[in-house]
Amino acid sequence: MTRQELLENIRRKHSFLCVGLDTDIKKIPAHILSDADPIFAFNKAIIDATADLCIAYKPNLAFYESIGTDGWTAFEKTVKYIKENYPDQFIIADAKRGDIGNTSQMYARTFFEHIGVDAVTVAPYMGEDSVKPFLGYDGKWVILLALTSNKGSFDFQLTEDKDGEKLFEKVIRVSQTWAGDDSMMYVVGATQGERFADIRRVAPTSFLLVPGVGAQGGSLADVAKYGMTPDCGLIVNSSRAIIYASSGTDFAEAATKAATAVQNEMEQILKTAAII
Amino acid sequence: MTRQELLENIRRKHSFLCVGLDTDIKKIPAHILSDADPIFAFNKAIIDATADLCIAYKPNLAFYESIGTDGWTAFEKTVKYIKENYPDQFIIADAKRGDIGNTSQMYARTFFEHIGVDAVTVAPYMGEDSVKPFLGYDGKWVILLALTSNKGSFDFQLTEDKDGEKLFEKVIRVSQTWAGDDSMMYVVGATQGERFADIRRVAPTSFLLVPGVGAQGGSLADVAKYGMTPDCGLIVNSSRAIIYASSGTDFAEAATKAATAVQNEMEQILKTAAII
């Protein structure tokens, strides 16, 4: 999906919501467990319940790999289902990969050629040649970890070098020499609202994928205030607050309701910013 | 596997070699492709051909995931085969994972409980709470990326902070407050032999997992000279130079020969250092 298509979807759907499919077999409603593929059955219901309200889905690979081959099958079926039924959705494999060149090349083939997602999250620690193999696929994206939403982000990402540049700023600055804002985005956690101003100084036009709103405590209003660009430039992810809004038989309706609340807030933000 | 057992295996086998099972369906000998599970058939032959000469195996997950569910099955079968037939082998899942706490927890369960490997490689970028879930399993290990063997390692890992501490040194120093040398090792690339002296200043007793010898150009003699501790403290990995030593029907014999050459050199090094 191109940057232009992504922006059009945001304007058309009045939303920049990404629903995180962090589907945990231990948390899905009991009545679905009798299904032959409960993970996929759950995802399908969540997707049908939210596709009108979001512009992206983000399955986190850890949740699928944790149950072995059945999980991989459910992941592949989920991606296929979205592509066939909701082709306007941007599909992010949240994989946080990053390895030496020939290995990253294998991952790139897996996710872009074999499975066919639109974007993969990539860890920056190993540098350019670990990221490059993911670039150069038409309409495909790298989403590089910059500033994450967890407590451990303070351990290394905020380390300042001799010139006062923080590691996450260096990651963003340097990586922009590898690809433009039409094929690279950054993960920036919403729990650190005030940091978005710093991020925008080094990445004025890039899309940011923002986790941490909802269960992790980030504020959507703050993210928009400090991080929004004139054409939006944000994809805000919510996982648990939507997919586990109810643990009963009404989980899909509850997901619609939770996603609608976020989408309404986003619509207001987009209107105020005169983007729609 | 405990640190003590690992050291005993090194002394008993006169080897600190790890064979990297980077098994690429496009590179395995043609005559194996007719097997129902060619990846596993290849691995099984390589393992039988090298088990006397090495103390560890390291399947790189990228190569297995690249072919989807069949790859996961081959990976799980490979680990099971090693555990059942060569229980003294240290099995490393080279996965380079690292995510927010609840997600890393899923990965830890996958690799340690479901699949049962001894160690997982973990990326440090997201800090303590992304690594902690992998710790606390008896006899299991985190192998943290510190200084990798690729060109991109220069992009961020060598960045110096205000006090002149490089990022990879900070990763090693800080992470030693999370776990001791009985449950954490570090990946240090062999292509940068002279760096081992710096590493040993911050990690005097930790095991180092050293890729980059062989196809990537690192020197075993340099690694031993600068990186060896009084009880060895090194696991040196070789992948392509051993498993693809021949692309013909004699690939297993060729792997034995290539591994024997490395093991002979290691034996000499261990004798010179009076470890055996």
Side-chain angles (χ1 to χ4, degrees):
Chain A
M1 186 178 294
T2 66
R3 181 182 170 90
Q4 205 48 47
E5 288 166 336
L6 196 48
L7 292 170
E8 279 165 18
N9 290 341
I10 289 170
R11 284 192 298 267
R12 184 169 47 82
K13 299 180 90 172
H14 297 195
S15 173
F16 46 99
L17 174 63
C18 173
V19 174
L21 298 171
D22 296 1
T23 309
D24 184 345
I25 191 86
K26 292 179 183 163
K27 284 190 188 161
I28 67 180
H31 72 282
I32 293 185
L33 293 175
S34 56
D35 195 284
D37 186 345
I39 298 279
F40 175 67
F42 178 81
N43 284 355
K44 184 174 174 299
I46 291 286
I47 292 160
D48 290 338
T50 56
D52 289 346
L53 304 161
C54 66
I55 49 101
Y57 288 102
K58 180 172 73 65
N60 185 320
L61 267 288
F63 290 83
Y64 299 86
E65 293 181 355
S66 73
I67 51 168
T69 50
D70 288 350
W72 263 97
T73 303
F75 168 65
E76 292 188 12
K77 279 166 71 179
T78 299
V79 172
K80 190 160 179 275
Y81 182 77
I82 299 169
K83 285 166 72 86
E84 285 178 0
N85 294 278
Y86 305 102
D88 64 346
Q89 292 289 344
F90 187 71
I91 308 175
I92 302 163
D94 194 1
K96 300 188 177 68
R97 296 301 193 264
D99 209 311
I100 63 171
N102 70 326
T103 311
S104 277
Q105 185 65 57
M106 302 294 283
Y107 279 131
R109 274 190 222 140
T110 304
F111 290 112
F112 291 150
E113 297 180 23
H114 182 71
I115 299 171
V117 299
D118 297 290
V120 179
T121 58
V122 177
Y125 192 74
M126 294 181 67
E128 180 172 6
D129 56 313
S130 70
V131 177
K132 274 264 171 99
F134 291 97
L135 297 167
Y137 287 87
D138 248 15
K140 304 291 185 186
W141 297 73
V142 163
I143 310 183
L144 202 62
L145 299 187
L147 185 61
T148 56
S149 57
N150 63 320
K151 186 163 158 274
S153 65
F154 290 88
D155 290 328
F156 307 119
Q157 297 166 22
L158 300 181
T159 302
E160 287 186 20
D161 71 8
K162 291 175 205 162
D163 306 317
E165 185 177 44
K166 296 183 180 72
L167 178 60
F168 78 89
E169 293 169 340
K170 181 169 184 178
V171 165
I172 294 173
R173 180 178 57 78
V174 171
S175 64
Q176 284 183 90
T177 66
W178 309 337
D181 65 8
D182 56 347
S183 56
M184 193 176 295
M185 309 185 181
Y186 299 97
V187 172
V188 180
T191 50
Q192 313 194 22
E194 72 283 3
R195 298 275 175 206
F196 279 82
D198 299 337
I199 300 275
R200 282 303 179 199
R201 271 191 286 277
V202 279
T205 61
S206 302
F207 257 102
L208 306 180
L209 172 64
V210 184
V213 167
Q216 291 181 65
S219 146
L220 180 57
D222 276 358
V223 172
K225 181 176 171 188
Y226 297 106
M228 189 166 262
T229 61
D231 59 7
C232 185
L234 295 172
I235 299 175
V236 171
N237 182 77
S238 179
S239 302
R240 286 169 272 177
I242 291 175
I243 71 174
Y244 302 132
S246 161
S247 58
T249 52
D250 65 337
F251 75 97
E253 293 82 352
T256 301
K257 201 173 159 192
T260 302
V262 183
Q263 186 268 325
N264 283 344
E265 194 180 345
M266 288 178 168
E267 184 168 51
Q268 206 47 58
I269 290 169
L270 290 167
K271 281 182 177 164
T272 305
I275 292 169
I276 56 173
Chain B
M1 187 179 292
T2 65
R3 182 182 169 90
Q4 204 48 46
E5 288 165 336
L6 196 47
L7 292 170
E8 279 165 21
N9 291 341
I10 290 170
R11 284 193 298 267
R12 183 169 49 81
K13 300 180 89 173
H14 297 196
S15 173
F16 46 100
L17 173 62
C18 174
V19 174
L21 298 170
D22 296 2
T23 309
D24 185 344
I25 190 86
K26 292 177 183 162
K27 285 191 189 162
I28 67 181
H31 72 283
I32 292 186
L33 293 174
S34 57
D35 194 283
D37 186 345
I39 299 278
F40 175 66
F42 178 82
N43 284 353
K44 184 174 172 302
I46 291 286
I47 292 161
D48 290 338
T50 56
D52 288 346
L53 304 160
C54 66
I55 48 100
Y57 287 102
K58 179 172 74 65
N60 185 319
L61 267 288
F63 289 82
Y64 300 85
E65 293 181 355
S66 73
I67 52 166
T69 50
D70 287 351
W72 263 97
T73 303
F75 167 65
E76 292 188 12
K77 278 165 71 180
T78 300
V79 172
K80 191 161 178 274
Y81 183 77
I82 300 170
K83 286 167 71 85
E84 285 177 0
N85 294 279
Y86 305 101
D88 63 347
Q89 292 289 344
F90 188 70
I91 308 174
I92 302 164
D94 194 3
K96 302 189 177 66
R97 298 300 194 263
D99 208 311
I100 62 171
N102 70 325
T103 310
S104 276
Q105 185 65 57
M106 302 293 284
Y107 279 130
R109 273 189 221 139
T110 303
F111 290 112
F112 291 150
E113 298 181 21
H114 181 71
I115 298 171
V117 300
D118 297 291
V120 179
T121 58
V122 177
Y125 193 74
M126 294 181 68
E128 180 173 6
D129 55 315
S130 69
V131 177
K132 274 264 170 101
F134 291 97
L135 297 167
Y137 286 87
D138 249 14
K140 303 292 185 185
W141 297 73
V142 163
I143 308 184
L144 203 62
L145 300 186
L147 186 62
T148 56
S149 57
N150 63 319
K151 187 163 157 274
S153 65
F154 290 87
D155 290 328
F156 307 118
Q157 297 166 23
L158 300 181
T159 303
E160 288 185 20
D161 71 8
K162 290 175 207 164
D163 306 317
E165 184 177 45
K166 297 184 180 71
L167 179 60
F168 79 88
E169 293 169 340
K170 181 170 184 177
V171 164
I172 294 173
R173 180 179 56 78
V174 170
S175 64
Q176 285 183 89
T177 66
W178 309 337
D181 65 7
D182 56 347
S183 55
M184 193 175 296
M185 306 184 182
Y186 300 96
V187 172
V188 179
T191 51
Q192 313 193 22
E194 72 283 4
R195 296 277 175 206
F196 279 82
D198 298 338
I199 300 275
R200 283 302 180 199
R201 272 192 285 277
V202 278
T205 61
S206 301
F207 256 102
L208 306 180
L209 172 65
V210 184
V213 168
Q216 291 181 66
S219 144
L220 180 57
D222 276 359
V223 172
K225 180 176 171 188
Y226 297 105
M228 188 166 263
T229 61
D231 59 8
C232 184
L234 294 173
I235 299 175
V236 171
N237 182 76
S238 178
S239 302
R240 287 169 274 179
I242 291 174
I243 70 173
Y244 302 131
S246 161
S247 58
T249 52
D250 65 337
F251 74 98
E253 292 82 355
T256 300
K257 201 173 158 193
T260 301
V262 183
Q263 188 266 325
N264 283 344
E265 195 181 345
M266 288 178 168
E267 185 168 52
Q268 207 45 58
I269 289 169
L270 289 167
K271 280 181 178 163
T272 305
I275 292 171
I276 55 173

